């Protein structure tokens, strides 16, 4: 039996909601530009940029984990928000440091936040939007006054060295937001949400091994099954369709027209998908928020990382209507509408000299940064700051649009 909510059912009709009051991002310093990709992949810079819009991606150094990137981003977001106490921590990731326990409790302890609620969300590249919905529910239910939502990925640990289709796309990174309970008419308010899933497409994007299925039936799995696998052509069609539909649902729930959207930030999958979804809403390319050219596809972290990047560049202004949409493994998808707030100066993800020693840590016994991340590595040199228009605007009628990797 299938149960379904009405497609236009409002998710946020209470007087209160979540209000954004801090955002920050972090990427590892090691950049892998297109010209440094493995020679065996037989690709060059022009080929990769033409198909994906990506000029480089970041890779975590050996020994640096998803939790380490999450720690950096979370500390920065708390600093931007003024170092407030939070009552709950949510971590969205599909590359956790270990299968069990969840990452969020350990991150909470490393930040010195005390014995508060903490849990993980696993919705792949839709993880930030799913985490945002969880934060809204936690705040409006009265379970917390403030929530720290972190999205972090180290996809490089899942990539098959022989698989260029995934290798050219994915990068490592993290971003975090601080949300408080507030009113719907406040700047920063989350005004509408939409979530969806379709488990019949679970094999389109997956890591087949490494879980209970492999442990219970080890003979059916080989070493290669612990790598990320994606059927790109099919994923492309699903991603464009689902993100477009979800975005339209959220616009209706927020009572916005497409023309009302000031800034549009989609999951940074690749430039072709971003262009195709933007064309179908439609939102013109100059209103898109994107940093895929410099960091690649960072999974659940991609939306907040792009927003943090844009905020640091002064590209987001208070009062602007912001539309978010994402798609990921599961299959999962989701969208959100919010009003951008007036935020303190946001440290740029590439700003040299920003290190965890300057970030608030409530418990002196808990280090502000993991020793595995050297202080020198926290300063990320600026690179490729401008996303060329040719990387952002890929014609929707391009024949390759229907067949390229997602």
């Amino acid at each position: 039996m299938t149960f379904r909510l009405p497609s236009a059912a409002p998710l946020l009709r209470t007087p209160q909601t979540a209000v954004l009051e801090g955002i920050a991002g972090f990427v590892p310093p090691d950049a892998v530009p297109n010209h440094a990709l493995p020679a065996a992949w037989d690709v060059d810079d022009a080929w990769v940029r033409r198909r994906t819009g990506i000029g480089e991606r970041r890779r975590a150094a050996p020994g640096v984990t998803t939790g380490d990137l999450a720690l950096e981003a979370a500390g920065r977001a708390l600093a931007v928000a003024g170092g407030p106490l939070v009552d709950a921590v949510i971590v969205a990731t599909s590359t956790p440091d270990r299968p069990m326990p969840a990452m969020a409790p350990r991150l909470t302890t490393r930040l010195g936040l005390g014995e508060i609620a903490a849990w993980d969300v696993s919705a792949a590249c839709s993880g930030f939007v799913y985490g945002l919905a969880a934060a809204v529910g936690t705040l409006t239910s009265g379970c917390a006054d403030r929530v720290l939502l972190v999205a972090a990925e180290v996809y490089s640990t899942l990539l098959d060295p022989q698989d260029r289709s995934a290798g050219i796309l994915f990068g490592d990174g993290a971003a975090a937001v601080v949300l408080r309970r507030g009113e719907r008419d406040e700047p920063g308010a989350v005004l509408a949400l939409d979530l969806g899933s379709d488990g019949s497409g679970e094999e389109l994007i997956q890591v087949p091994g490494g879980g209970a299925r492999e442990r219970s039936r080890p003979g059916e799995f080989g070493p290669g099954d612990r790598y990320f696998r994606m059927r790109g052509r099919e994923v492309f069609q699903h991603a464009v369709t689902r993100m477009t539909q979800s975005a339209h649902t959220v616009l209706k729930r927020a009572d916005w027209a497409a023309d009302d959207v000031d800034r549009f930030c989609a999951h940074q999958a690749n430039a072709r998908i971003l262009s195709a979804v933007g064309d179908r809403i439609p939102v013109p390319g100059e209103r898109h928020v994107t940093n895929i050219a410099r960091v690649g596809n960072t999974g659940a972290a991609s939306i907040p990382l792009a927003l943090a990047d844009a905020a640091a560049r002064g590209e987001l202004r208070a009062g602007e209507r912001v539309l978010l949409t994402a798609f990921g493994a599961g299959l999962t998808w989701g969208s959100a509408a919010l009003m951008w707030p007036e935020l303190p100066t946001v440290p740029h993800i590439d700003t040299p000299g920003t290190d965890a020693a300057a970030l608030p840590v409530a418990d002196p016994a808990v280090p502000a940064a993991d020793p595995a991340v050297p202080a020198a590595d926290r300063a990320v040199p600026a690179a490729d700051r401008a996303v060329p228009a040719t990387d952002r605007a890929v014609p929707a009628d391009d024949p390759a649009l229907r067949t390229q990797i997602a």
Side-chain angles (χ1 to χ4, degrees):
M1 180 179 293
T2 300
F3 296 92
R4 187 179 299 276
L5 290 172
S7 60
L11 295 186
L12 295 174
R13 285 292 181 260
T14 62
Q16 292 189 316
T17 184
V19 176
L20 177 67
E21 62 177 3
I23 186 169
F26 177 76
V27 291
D30 293 336
V32 181
N34 292 337
H35 66 75
L37 293 171
W41 289 0
D42 191 26
V43 299
D44 59 25
D45 180 70
W47 188 91
V48 176
R49 284 182 181 271
R50 188 167 60 250
R51 286 159 174 76
T52 70
I54 298 170
E56 66 180 29
R57 69 287 299 144
R58 301 300 178 94
R59 294 281 189 261
V64 176
T65 70
T66 301
D68 296 324
L69 302 191
L71 179 70
E72 292 282 357
R76 295 179 183 200
L78 288 168
V80 169
L85 294 177
V86 299
D87 309 296
V89 173
I90 303 171
V91 174
T93 185
S94 51
T95 59
D97 288 357
R98 65 191 89 183
M100 186 176 65
M103 283 180 47
R106 175 58 181 158
L107 176 63
T108 300
T109 296
R110 294 176 75 183
L111 288 166
L113 297 177
E115 298 177 350
I116 61 175
W119 68 96
D120 289 4
V121 170
S122 178
C125 297
S126 305
F128 177 74
V129 177
Y130 268 70
L132 190 60
V136 170
T138 301
L139 292 166
T140 58
S141 68
C143 289
D145 294 321
R146 274 189 175 83
V147 172
L148 172 65
L149 170 59
V150 186
E153 306 281 15
V154 179
Y155 262 102
S156 58
T157 60
L158 297 180
L159 298 179
D160 184 343
Q162 309 304 317
D163 182 7
R164 77 174 185 182
S165 65
I168 64 175
L169 288 173
F170 288 94
D172 302 334
V177 297
V178 178
L179 301 153
R180 62 171 172 82
R181 189 187 310 125
E183 305 302 320
R184 290 176 52 82
D185 58 358
E186 290 187 64
V190 179
L191 300 177
L193 288 162
D194 175 68
L195 302 176
S197 73
D198 180 5
S200 68
E202 64 176 346
E203 294 185 355
L204 296 183
I205 314 170
Q206 63 171 325
V207 179
R213 290 180 64 188
E214 180 185 7
R215 292 171 185 268
S216 64
R217 296 179 297 200
E220 297 181 15
F221 294 84
D225 288 320
R226 296 203 176 192
Y227 289 126
F228 176 91
R229 303 298 180 198
M230 179 171 64
R231 284 156 42 187
R233 296 182 183 183
E234 295 168 80
V235 168
F236 183 97
Q237 296 291 349
H238 278 281
V240 172
T241 299
R242 299 301 193 177
M243 283 197 286
T244 301
Q245 291 174 342
S246 182
H248 279 295
T249 297
V250 154
L251 288 175
K252 185 174 183 179
R253 290 175 179 171
D255 197 22
W256 292 355
D259 287 344
D260 294 328
V261 176
D262 298 302
R263 304 296 285 172
F264 171 61
C265 187
H267 163 52
Q268 307 286 289
N270 72 38
R272 293 177 183 273
I273 288 179
L274 300 182
S275 179
V277 175
D279 288 345
R280 285 162 175 75
I281 292 176
V283 179
E286 62 269 18
R287 299 184 190 177
H288 291 201
V289 175
T290 177
N291 65 351
I292 190 172
R294 296 183 302 109
V295 299
N297 181 340
T298 55
S302 77
I303 287 178
L305 195 56
L307 291 173
D309 205 5
R313 298 170 189 276
E315 296 173 2
L316 290 169
R317 293 183 291 275
E320 288 188 323
R321 296 180 178 89
V322 181
L323 173 64
L324 313 177
T325 190
F327 175 86
L331 300 172
T332 59
W333 57 87
S335 299
L338 67 145
M339 298 291 290
W340 196 256
E342 185 73 46
L343 292 177
T345 301
V346 179
H348 193 281
I349 61 171
D350 286 341
T351 299
T354 303
D355 58 48
L359 302 177
V361 179
D363 184 351
V366 180
D370 191 282
V373 187
D377 286 349
R378 294 182 205 119
V380 184
D384 193 14
R385 297 200 170 214
V387 181
T390 54
D391 290 344
R392 283 186 303 223
V394 180
D397 58 355
D398 184 343
L401 191 68
R402 296 184 293 273
T403 59
Q404 265 308 321
I405 57 175

